[in-house]
Amino acid sequence: MKHLSFEQGPIRPPSEARSLLMRVTRNCNWNQCIFCTTYRGNHNFERRTVDEVKADIDTVVEIINEAKTLSWKMGLSGEISGELAQRFFDQPGLDYSFLSVIAWLYYGTQAVFLQDANNIILKADDLAQMLDYLNQKIPGISRITTYARSQTAARKSLEDLQKIREAGLSRVHIGLETGYDPLLKYMKKGVNAEAHIIGGRKIIEAGMELSEYYMPGLGGSAMWKEHAIETARVLNAINPHFIRLRTLHVGKTLPLYQRLESGEFELRTPSETVEEIRLLVENLDGITSRMVSDHIGNLLQDVEGKFPEDKGRILEAIDRYLALNEEEQLHYQVGRVMGLYNGVTDMSKPGLSYRVNETVKKLKAKYDGQTQDILIGLHDQLMR
Ligand code: SF4
């Protein structure tokens, strides 16, 4: 078996976990946000050439052909079964990128995610050539998505975005984070609320689906209210297809961590962050977006639904949590860290709550009954 490989980047959105990952640029051309270290260090931004990306697509096709040939030999008529996939995973020395194609064939999503952080910065003609080649060489692709910065989308011409759409880019994920200008500046996001709106609307006008990521907790104690209200205002103006929640986590390597240590930036508690999400949801109005809580670090995974019809249901899910007393919140958070609870209604499932209660007892013994200490420890655990 040939040891084939091609280039992939470090991250993708949670919703692209089963997509084929292909890298068309390297790293982030902005790379200054103080809550992000994904591309820090010696990671300069680079545009990959059309020929480089085409060569990677050819490699993916070779891997697909190897897998299908083996499938036919095993009498599976080209299907990639679990048993066949396992054979590849058991082979020593195969590259991660090779195995990612096998997993992609097994899952059968036919979705592709282009890495890294801002691919629409490429010349529209170059990106269109890459997309055309991808569709030509791998027929049957269901969707092609990418990350983008709204600052770049705002500057791009509508004609260029339409060209990219026509070549096959169907969905764009943008890190909106917040719609509050002073907070965007504080976090060095490199964009203001107006550009967020212009860029987001342009993506939609060009015919692409748009996911906007909102970051609960980003306002800290000082700006949480404005963060929620102004983010809702910007989202109302854009009306994206998806509003996705990704809660702030201040890891020790982030520049924001130093501001936290110095006391300049103050985090709100997980329960206070839920209050913030409530304020945002209350202020979302006149939109038809779908809210999705698909990041592992979100406390409530059931804050999901389509606006406007599910707004009441989303608020109910939030209020169920806010109505819990401190002991119950502790119980819920332990269940969340254990991966047993996605929403407060899961607490009424006896099989689950028994296991959580046992863990709570052990934690109380360890932390000498100090609920707040346990909650802080749990939050760090959840966000890891
Ligand atoms: S634009 Fe995105 S990838 Fe780039 S530094 Fe900011 S958050 Fe990170």
Side-chain angles (χ1 to χ4, degrees):
M1 191 171 299
K2 275 206 243 168
H3 282 207
L4 300 162
S5 67
F6 62 98
E7 185 163 336
Q8 293 182 313
I11 62 161
R12 43 108 188 122
S15 56
E16 306 292 344
R18 293 181 173 184
S19 301
L20 174 65
L21 306 181
M22 304 218 58
R23 197 175 208 183
V24 303
T25 59
R26 297 187 184 101
N27 311 313
C28 171
N29 62 300
W30 174 249
N31 215 11
Q32 294 186 42
C33 306
I34 64 171
F35 56 87
C36 169
T37 49
T38 309
Y39 306 106
R40 291 286 163 107
N42 294 325
H43 300 302
N44 293 329
F45 174 72
E46 286 169 331
R47 292 169 170 82
R48 300 192 70 212
T49 66
V50 175
D51 285 343
E52 278 176 327
V53 174
K54 280 184 174 177
D56 275 0
I57 294 168
D58 289 339
T59 305
V60 171
V61 171
E62 267 196 79
I63 297 168
I64 293 173
N65 289 342
E66 279 214 29
K68 298 240 158 140
T69 304
L70 183 58
S71 168
W72 281 101
K73 276 187 194 156
M74 287 170 69
L76 295 169
S77 315
E79 189 210 332
I80 308 304
S81 66
E83 189 200 340
L84 186 147
Q86 195 57 50
R87 280 205 191 187
F88 283 101
F89 277 82
D90 289 342
Q91 283 269 332
L94 286 183
D95 191 74
Y96 181 83
S97 60
F98 187 117
L99 295 174
S100 77
V101 176
I102 302 299
W104 180 66
L105 291 170
Y106 169 69
Y107 289 129
T109 62
Q110 294 177 306
V112 178
F113 179 71
L114 304 181
Q115 300 168 301
D116 283 334
N118 187 26
N119 291 319
I120 62 168
I121 200 168
L122 289 173
K123 281 188 193 146
D125 282 335
D126 287 356
L127 187 52
Q129 276 191 62
M130 295 169 185
L131 290 159
D132 280 338
Y133 196 73
L134 186 59
N135 276 313
Q136 183 197 323
K137 289 285 173 174
I138 309 176
I141 288 176
S142 58
R143 68 163 197 253
I144 306 176
T145 61
T146 188
Y147 280 131
R149 294 188 68 231
S150 44
Q151 182 74 352
T152 307
R155 286 183 181 158
K156 206 98 185 158
S157 74
L158 184 60
E159 293 69 36
D160 276 352
L161 290 172
Q162 281 166 335
K163 187 180 282 180
I164 295 167
R165 169 66 191 115
E166 276 156 27
L169 190 70
S170 44
R171 182 182 295 173
V172 170
H173 297 272
I174 286 183
L176 174 105
E177 330 299 3
T178 182
Y180 185 46
D181 276 336
L183 184 55
L184 285 165
K185 198 170 172 196
Y186 183 80
M187 294 293 166
K188 297 192 181 170
K189 183 69 192 171
V191 64
N192 60 23
E194 198 194 345
H196 265 326
I197 294 171
I198 294 169
R201 281 183 174 168
K202 241 189 224 180
I203 296 280
I204 295 172
E205 199 182 342
M208 290 178 262
E209 284 189 321
L210 177 64
S211 269
E212 293 277 5
Y213 281 85
Y214 146 65
M215 190 170 274
L218 192 69
S221 294
M223 294 187 252
W224 73 273
K225 264 192 195 160
E226 296 85 349
H227 171 41
I229 292 169
E230 286 300 297
T231 301
R233 180 184 71 79
V234 169
L235 288 169
N236 290 340
I238 300 172
N239 190 17
H241 296 82
F242 300 94
I243 298 169
R244 296 182 191 271
L245 275 57
R246 181 183 52 192
T247 307
L248 172 72
H249 172 56
V250 189
K252 289 190 175 162
T253 55
L254 290 177
L256 183 57
Y257 184 77
Q258 286 149 24
R259 299 190 185 193
L260 188 66
E261 283 287 277
S262 71
E264 182 191 302
F265 182 80
E266 220 177 89
L267 278 177
R268 297 191 89 221
T269 66
S271 299
E272 287 170 340
T273 304
V274 174
E275 267 177 49
E276 175 205 304
I277 298 169
R278 194 186 200 292
L279 186 60
L280 170 106
V281 173
E282 272 175 50
N283 281 279
L284 288 173
D285 197 19
I287 57 168
T288 52
S289 315
R290 175 167 289 282
M291 179 168 269
V292 184
S293 178
D294 59 357
H295 194 274
I296 185 105
N298 295 338
L299 190 58
L300 300 176
Q301 302 277 309
D302 60 348
V303 176
E304 294 212 334
K306 174 98 167 62
F307 282 81
E309 57 269 37
D310 295 332
K311 180 170 173 174
R313 207 167 53 74
I314 292 171
L315 287 170
E316 277 168 26
I318 293 170
D319 288 340
R320 273 195 292 275
Y321 178 83
L322 293 175
L324 301 177
N325 62 35
E326 196 179 68
E327 265 308 292
E328 292 165 332
Q329 286 185 358
L330 169 67
H331 177 101
Y332 176 78
Q333 290 192 38
V334 173
R336 179 77 201 103
V337 171
M338 291 171 78
L340 297 176
Y341 294 160
N342 287 318
V344 171
T345 51
D346 289 336
M347 290 167 74
S348 56
K349 294 175 183 164
L352 301 185
S353 64
Y354 173 78
R355 288 168 63 192
V356 176
N357 276 332
E358 291 304 299
T359 307
V360 170
K361 277 186 213 159
K362 284 180 199 156
L363 282 169
K364 282 195 167 172
K366 182 176 167 193
Y367 286 90
D368 205 17
Q370 296 301 309
T371 306
Q372 276 308 324
D373 290 349
I374 301 174
L375 286 172
I376 291 165
L378 284 172
H379 181 64
D380 285 349
Q381 195 76 28
L382 184 66
M383 301 302 297
R384 245 178 227 165

